[in-house]
Amino acid sequence: MKKLRIISCFLIAAYFVLYGSGVSTVLAQPNVYHFGFKKSVAGKLPSIDEEGFKPIITKHGALFLGDTTRNELFMTFDNGYENGLTPKILDVLNEKKVPATFFVTGHYIKDQPDLLKRMVDEGHIIGNHSWSHPDMTQLSEEMIRNELKKVKEQVQLMTGQQEMEYLRPPRGIFNEKVLAESKNWGYTSVFWSIAYKDWDVRAQKGAQYAFEQVTKQFHPGAILLLHSVSQDNADALGSIIDEARRQGYEFKSLRDLNMTQQYEIKLTP
């Protein structure tokens, strides 16, 4: 049984290796993208001006930044599978009074119902990361709808969270169809403006490395993407939060973003 679990976790972890944290890739199919961005340096705003997908991000109200006129940060985690670290992450968030959004898959829902309940009980948001973590650009509109519907229904059943407003496309792969269909079903697609290669559990480099990789990218309105399988993240999270506050940043929930207001995002060239 233990061997099967290890194999399962390895296969799911392999999906996350496909994520990009700062490099944009146009995939083989036309008009299909893997989210990437020009990283923030010295507090300057990150950019998606050169990636080719900015028009459809804007058109469909997807987020990769919050309000860049405010010193606010938005903490998000991707939870494809459990590596024994989410309880520690939740402990830190609870101690520091930081709200977060956890994007979960069907595997996580089936495997970790108690952690899902704890997330909601402690005031966090559970977001949709699809049921089976597919490349949704390869799916029909009906299949996309079913992937999202199943996650929402099961989270609602297990936790009592009535609404599910936020979606993170699996592996950061998307096209206009994915964004449009998700929006039609009431979702705001949420990407990120701070990330680093944290998902490879075989290549952890220590809490100090995680601290430096995250804090050097701080900028107003940042949406942080961290993977909950990372030991480095779990160990560094408290220090990251403390440093953000020392620099004058405040952690806010995605719910604090006014989705009816169009923020003017002043991006670096």
Side-chain angles (χ1 to χ4, degrees):
M1 190 72 176
K2 183 177 181 181
K3 184 177 181 181
L4 288 174
R5 182 176 176 80
I6 291 172
I7 292 172
S8 175
C9 288
F10 176 80
L11 290 173
I12 295 168
Y15 294 154
F16 286 98
V17 176
L18 295 174
Y19 273 96
S21 61
V23 178
S24 176
T25 305
V26 181
L27 302 181
Q29 308 95 316
N31 302 317
V32 172
Y33 302 96
H34 188 159
F35 185 81
F37 61 98
K38 181 180 178 182
K39 290 186 177 182
S40 170
V41 177
K44 294 181 179 180
L45 295 180
S47 171
I48 56 171
D49 286 345
E50 300 173 5
E51 275 61 32
F53 52 69
K54 185 177 178 182
I56 64 170
I57 292 282
T58 302
K59 176 181 178 181
H60 296 290
L63 299 175
F64 98 104
L65 285 170
D67 183 351
T68 60
T69 68
R70 299 176 180 270
N71 281 350
E72 297 175 344
L73 303 177
F74 301 86
M75 185 74 74
T76 75
F77 294 87
D78 281 3
N79 290 66
Y81 70 99
E82 181 53 43
N83 195 31
L85 299 169
T86 304
K88 180 176 181 178
I89 288 169
L90 287 169
D91 287 345
V92 173
L93 294 174
N94 187 51
E95 176 190 351
K96 303 289 186 181
K97 306 302 180 189
V98 171
T101 300
F102 293 88
F103 290 95
V104 303
T105 63
H107 173 89
Y108 199 89
I109 292 168
K110 292 186 292 183
D111 191 52
Q112 298 295 329
D114 290 341
L115 284 176
L116 290 178
K117 293 173 186 174
R118 182 179 171 187
M119 290 169 188
V120 172
D121 288 346
E122 295 183 0
H124 303 297
I125 298 170
I126 297 179
N128 204 320
H129 203 34
S130 80
W131 187 258
S132 61
H133 206 262
D135 173 354
M136 291 207 298
T137 68
Q138 300 296 307
L139 305 183
S140 68
E141 292 179 358
E142 181 179 1
M143 292 169 72
I144 292 172
R145 187 161 60 247
N146 288 338
E147 282 280 333
L148 303 182
K149 181 181 178 182
K150 197 169 182 181
V151 170
K152 180 178 180 178
E153 289 179 345
Q154 289 301 307
V155 167
Q156 185 179 66
L157 182 66
M158 290 183 178
T159 71
Q161 176 180 285
Q162 295 302 307
E163 298 300 325
M164 187 166 279
E165 307 165 69
Y166 305 105
L167 164 73
R168 179 160 286 155
R171 291 173 266 169
I173 301 173
F174 67 99
N175 59 8
E176 184 157 17
K177 177 182 71 176
V178 170
L179 297 184
E181 188 64 16
S182 301
K183 186 178 180 180
N184 285 342
W185 286 92
Y187 286 95
T188 297
S189 294
V190 180
F191 295 98
W192 54 89
S193 63
I194 292 180
Y196 76 105
K197 186 179 178 181
D198 62 346
W199 60 88
D200 189 347
V201 297
R202 299 162 296 174
Q204 298 294 288
K205 298 181 179 181
Q208 184 61 29
Y209 178 79
F211 174 84
E212 292 171 356
Q213 292 303 305
V214 174
T215 59
K216 73 181 183 181
Q217 297 184 64
F218 282 163
H219 58 270
I223 297 175
L224 287 77
L225 163 61
L226 298 176
H227 287 86
S228 60
V229 296
S230 166
Q231 183 72 57
D232 294 352
N233 286 341
D235 292 343
L237 185 59
S239 297
I240 290 169
I241 292 168
D242 289 346
E243 176 62 16
R245 286 174 169 159
R246 188 191 71 78
Q247 293 187 27
Y249 288 99
E250 181 181 4
F251 285 93
K252 307 288 283 186
S253 168
L254 288 180
R255 290 194 182 105
D256 294 320
L257 282 174
N258 183 356
M259 293 306 181
T260 63
Q261 179 179 356
Q262 295 297 316
Y263 292 121
E264 180 184 358
I265 300 175
K266 299 177 182 179
L267 300 174
T268 55

